[in-house]
Amino acid sequence: MASNGDLDLTEIRGLRGSPGYFKKGKLLSIDEVSACLEFKEHLNDARENMKFYISNVKTDQFFKLNIEFPITKLRHVTTEDCMRCIVQEQYIGIGNNIKPEPLKDLSCWSAEFPPKEELPYEQAFEKVQRIVPTWDAEPFQEEIKDQFASSPAFDNSSSRYGNFVFSFPLSDLLKAYKSQHCQNGDPQLKVLGTAMYSQEIAHMVIVHSPDTDRYDKLPMVQTVSSTAESLPFFYRKEEDGELYWRPESTSGGLRVTISEGGEIYTCPLNKTRTGKFCVWNHLIVAFHLPDSKYLVIPEKQLLENLSACEPAMPYLKDPRTNLSKAEAEEIIKELKNSQ
C-alpha cells in the first residue's frame, strides 16, 4: 500500500494558468496518478477532469503495451517574438520563470519522434494480438494503427505552444550543456517527476550540472538491460547506452479498447472523431539553467534547425501569436534570406 508521502502532490500552473499537479522524483503510472488524485481532497479543476479521463481507460489493456521509443532528438516550440529573440541573442533561456520551486530555472524540451509511419506499430499490434488470444484482432488493425502514437506528444505537425520549432539531436544539446555548464564532470540525468493536467501525464527528466546540490535527492535515470524483468518508464539501455521511454498511453483518444478479460471492441466516435477520451503521456527533458544562465547555440545552427508547424488546440500562448504554418514558413524564409 502506498504511503501518504507517496501520494503527495504540489499544485502547479501551466501556460495561461491551466491548473495541474506535480509529483517530485517519480515517473507515475496511470494507476499511481489515479491513487494520488483519490487521496487528495479539495483540489483544482484538473483533478476532476483527469479523474474522469482515467476512469475511462484505467482498466483498458491497450495501456499495457509499453512500447519503447528511443529518445535521440528534442524540440522546443515557441512564438515569433521569442523565436526572433533566440536567433538574435543566440541562446535559449528559461522563458517564463513563474513556477513552483521544483520547476524553477528550467529550459523545457519535448521528445521528438520520427513520422508516424516509421514508429513501431507492428510491435504494438503483436502485443494486442497476445492480449486477445481468443479474439481476432485483424478486423481492428486500421483503428489500432490510427490510435497508436496519435497523442499531441507524437505530433510534429502542430503545437499548442507556438508555430516555430527548434529541433536538435539530444547528443548535441548534452554536449553544449556540458561545455557551458559542467565544469567538474558530465551532465547528470535524473528523474525530476510527473506533471499532471486535465489529460496530460508528463514524465519529466532533468539534466543538471554536477556542481549543484539542488537535485541530490532525486533518483538517477537507471541503466538497465533490455532483458530485465521490469523496465522503468525512462532508462538508459545497457547494451547501447541510448535513452528510451516506455509510455503507457500514446493515444489522444481510443477507437479500439481492450477489456481486462481480453475482449476487443470499437468505441463510438465523439465530436472530435477520436472515440473515447483518454489521458496521454508526454516526455519532457528539462535543462537546469540557474542564475539567469542560458544555453548558447550559434545563429547558424539555430536557423538550420528551425522549422514551422500549425497551431494546435487548445492553443496555450497569447492568441495574437497564433499563425498558420504557411505564415510561419514565410517568416522563417525571410529570416534565413536576410542572413
Side-chain angles (χ1 to χ4, degrees), residues 106 188-192 204-208 215 218 286 288:
L106 303 179
Q188 303 295 295
L189 199 60
K190 292 183 177 178
V191 173
L192 180 59
M204 300 187 70
V205 177
I206 188 167
V207 178
H208 71 83
Y215 302 106
L218 293 181
H288 182 226

Side-chain angles (χ1 to χ4, degrees), residues 15 40 45 54 95 98 104 170 219 242 298 305:
L15 292 176
K40 286 290 186 181
D45 292 342
I54 287 178
I98 306 174
K104 288 182 66 175
L170 173 58
E242 298 297 323
N305 293 278

Side-chain angles (χ1 to χ4, degrees), residues 39 104 151 208 235:
F39 172 72
K104 288 182 66 175
S151 76
H208 71 83
Y235 53 93

Side-chain angles (χ1 to χ4, degrees), residues 242-283:
E242 298 297 323
L243 294 166
Y244 291 84
W245 183 47
R246 296 172 68 249
E248 288 179 291
S249 175
T250 68
S251 306
L254 297 182
R255 284 288 289 121
V256 174
T257 66
I258 306 171
S259 73
E260 287 184 285
E263 296 89 0
I264 184 170
Y265 55 92
T266 56
C267 302
L269 292 172
N270 57 37
K271 62 183 179 181
T272 64
R273 301 193 62 77
T274 60
K276 184 186 292 186
F277 284 120
C278 64
V279 293
W280 50 273
N281 288 126
H282 182 190
L283 178 65

Side-chain angles (χ1 to χ4, degrees), residues 21-290:
Y21 300 99
F22 181 74
K23 173 63 180 177
K24 183 178 180 181
K26 189 171 183 180
L27 305 184
L28 298 178
S29 68
I30 292 175
D31 284 344
E32 288 169 328
V33 170
S34 179
C36 288
L37 297 180
E38 290 294 343
F39 172 72
K40 286 290 186 181
E41 295 182 0
H42 310 299
L43 297 183
N44 61 41
D45 292 342
R47 172 182 182 258
E48 296 304 323
N49 291 339
M50 179 159 279
K51 280 180 65 178
F52 169 75
Y53 292 127
I54 287 178
S55 70
N56 271 352
V57 300
K58 187 177 177 182
T59 61
D60 201 300
Q61 298 300 294
F62 191 78
F63 296 112
K64 309 300 180 184
L65 304 184
N66 290 110
I67 303 298
E68 69 174 19
F69 297 91
I71 305 303
T72 61
K73 205 167 188 179
L74 302 181
R75 65 197 331 245
H76 180 81
V77 185
T78 191
T79 59
E80 179 185 355
D81 286 348
C82 291
M83 176 275 293
R84 289 184 181 277
C85 183
I86 287 170
V87 172
Q88 181 178 348
E89 301 294 338
Q90 301 186 64
Y91 67 74
I92 295 179
I94 60 174
N96 185 350
N97 198 31
I98 306 174
K99 297 172 182 172
E101 185 61 30
L103 303 179
K104 288 182 66 175
D105 304 326
L106 303 179
S107 174
C108 292
W109 298 64
S110 295
E112 181 169 296
F113 301 95
K116 186 168 180 175
E117 58 270 18
E118 297 177 23
L119 294 176
Y121 161 70
E122 292 78 10
Q123 293 181 32
F125 187 66
E126 287 173 6
K127 287 195 172 186
V128 168
Q129 288 179 308
R130 290 198 291 270
I131 293 171
V132 291
T134 60
W135 288 64
D136 183 9
E138 288 292 337
F140 304 92
Q141 189 164 358
E142 282 305 310
E143 289 92 342
I144 293 171
K145 187 172 184 178
D146 286 344
Q147 76 184 33
F148 176 68
S150 65
S151 76
F154 292 85
D155 184 7
N156 293 336
S157 65
S158 65
S159 173
R160 299 174 294 171
Y161 306 110
N163 301 96
F164 299 88
V165 185
F166 291 102
S167 178
F168 286 89
L170 173 58
S171 57
D172 288 359
L173 294 172
L174 290 174
K175 183 178 179 181
Y177 187 86
K178 177 179 179 177
S179 67
Q180 296 170 35
H181 297 284
C182 301
Q183 303 303 314
N184 298 305
D186 294 324
Q188 303 295 295
L189 199 60
K190 292 183 177 178
V191 173
L192 180 59
T194 303
M196 296 154 265
Y197 298 98
S198 290
Q199 286 186 265
E200 174 186 353
I201 300 175
H203 291 156
M204 300 187 70
V205 177
I206 188 167
V207 178
H208 71 83
S209 166
D211 300 322
T212 182
D213 60 2
R214 178 172 169 178
Y215 302 106
D216 282 355
K217 294 183 179 179
L218 293 181
M220 296 289 292
V221 168
Q222 296 180 51
T223 298
V224 299
S225 168
S226 59
T227 60
E229 290 186 9
S230 177
L231 293 172
F233 286 120
F234 188 85
Y235 53 93
R236 188 184 301 278
K237 192 177 287 188
E238 193 175 80
E239 289 84 347
D240 58 18
E242 298 297 323
L243 294 166
Y244 291 84
W245 183 47
R246 296 172 68 249
E248 288 179 291
S249 175
T250 68
S251 306
L254 297 182
R255 284 288 289 121
V256 174
T257 66
I258 306 171
S259 73
E260 287 184 285
E263 296 89 0
I264 184 170
Y265 55 92
T266 56
C267 302
L269 292 172
N270 57 37
K271 62 183 179 181
T272 64
R273 301 193 62 77
T274 60
K276 184 186 292 186
F277 284 120
C278 64
V279 293
W280 50 273
N281 288 126
H282 182 190
L283 178 65
I284 296 174
V285 178
F287 292 83
H288 182 226
L289 299 172

